Amino acid sequence: MGLGQSSQIWVVDDDPEQLDLLSSYLSNQGYVVRTFASGEQMMAFLHIERPALVVLDVMLPGDDGLTLLRRLRDEGDPLPVVMLTAKGDAVDRIIGLEQGADDYLGKPFLPRELTARIEAVLRRTVALPAGTPLAAGEPVAFGNIVLDLASRTMQRGSEVVHLTGGEFGLLAAFVQHPHRPLSRERLIGLARGPESSTDSRSIDAQVSRVRKLVEPDPTRPRYVQTMWGYGYVFVPDGKPISR
């Protein structure tokens, strides 16, 4: 059953029927599943045990899913998170990705769609992004950033930054293609795999997230620069490029 055989998944949703459905389906796929009806329950249990991934609904009693996600990321926790959002709610989706969600899925959805998203995120946490060459040589340094592809770690000055799978995938794609303009479609393929359902607005949101991690001033990016009407380009020396 692949990745599911050794992976514990937590599902957080206040809908009992949805919890039962997802718990049964994911268990049948080989995952060890634990369910929670609120984010507070999940956060309390996180001090005792740690899953491979959390499926987190946006609409929850008490602190909503976006608030819980922000709390995790503010604490430097790279725990993989797949957000469940209302169908077509682009605002929650973009905010979630900007705050560090690894992926999202709009309700209603087929259970097998969720399984595909979970497996894709878990692959990104244990291997280099699909489509990129194997890591080799010395860590990549630019500005005050040092990114080690082999160990999947990043250092910013003297601070060790814990990266989510999505953040690492994007940074790896950029640093392995310096000075090469990458279209949004190409970047999605490199960072998330050729079969990803990520759209251009979502990749823009994740680029925004990465800029907050590596840029001295994310509003005036030096290293991950925009190619207007096309995509992005990684510039290790931070020099402006001609548009």
Side-chain angles (χ1 to χ4, degrees):
M1 296 191 184
L3 291 168
Q5 288 181 323
S6 60
S7 298
Q8 182 174 145
I9 304 298
W10 289 2
V11 182
V12 188
D13 197 309
D14 65 338
D15 182 340
E17 292 185 4
Q18 175 119 308
L19 283 181
D20 288 344
L21 171 65
L22 294 181
S23 178
S24 176
Y25 184 83
L26 292 174
S27 296
N28 288 337
Q29 298 304 305
Y31 293 101
V32 177
V33 182
R34 187 181 294 277
T35 62
F36 300 91
S38 73
E40 286 76 11
Q41 293 177 9
M42 180 201 76
M43 296 298 286
F45 212 85
L46 196 56
H47 296 291
I48 304 171
E49 194 169 335
R50 189 171 181 85
L53 181 145
V54 173
V55 177
L56 182 60
D57 190 27
V58 169
M59 300 299 294
L60 292 171
D63 288 342
D64 63 20
L66 294 174
T67 300
L68 294 165
L69 174 65
R70 183 167 59 250
R71 187 187 307 172
L72 287 171
R73 299 306 184 236
D74 286 348
E75 294 173 356
D77 192 329
L79 179 65
V81 174
V82 174
M83 301 291 298
L84 301 181
T85 68
K87 187 70 172 180
D89 195 338
V91 174
D92 281 348
R93 180 187 73 200
I94 297 302
I95 292 174
L97 291 171
E98 287 179 339
Q99 292 181 352
D102 292 271
D103 209 339
Y104 65 88
L105 192 58
K107 294 182 178 181
F109 56 84
L110 295 175
R112 65 173 178 269
E113 292 181 83
L114 179 59
T115 303
R117 302 299 178 91
I118 289 172
E119 291 181 351
V121 171
L122 291 179
R123 279 196 297 269
R124 295 201 299 272
T125 65
V126 298
L128 285 173
T132 59
L134 294 176
E138 297 296 320
V140 178
F142 58 98
N144 69 339
I145 302 295
V146 178
L147 181 68
D148 190 327
L149 296 180
S151 64
R152 304 175 60 88
T153 59
M154 187 181 100
Q155 189 164 332
R156 182 173 56 206
S158 60
E159 175 192 9
V160 175
V161 179
H162 300 283
L163 300 173
T164 68
E167 292 162 356
F168 176 80
L170 267 181
L171 280 170
F174 279 129
V175 302
Q176 292 184 71
H177 300 82
H179 301 291
R180 289 178 56 184
L182 299 173
S183 69
R184 288 172 173 81
E185 292 74 18
R186 175 65 171 152
L187 194 54
I188 290 169
L190 288 170
R192 303 179 71 86
E195 297 181 359
S196 172
S197 59
T198 300
D199 58 31
S200 60
R201 290 189 66 189
S202 298
I203 205 69
D204 288 342
Q206 292 182 309
V207 168
S208 175
R209 173 79 183 174
V210 163
R211 282 173 167 165
K212 293 176 182 177
L213 296 176
V214 304
E215 299 284 357
D217 180 0
T219 66
R220 302 179 65 182
R222 297 173 54 192
Y223 304 114
V224 180
Q225 299 185 28
T226 300
M227 298 289 293
W228 296 107
Y230 185 73
Y232 301 93
V233 59
F234 172 61
V235 185
D237 57 17
K239 294 182 180 180
I241 59 171
S242 60
R243 269 34 176 210

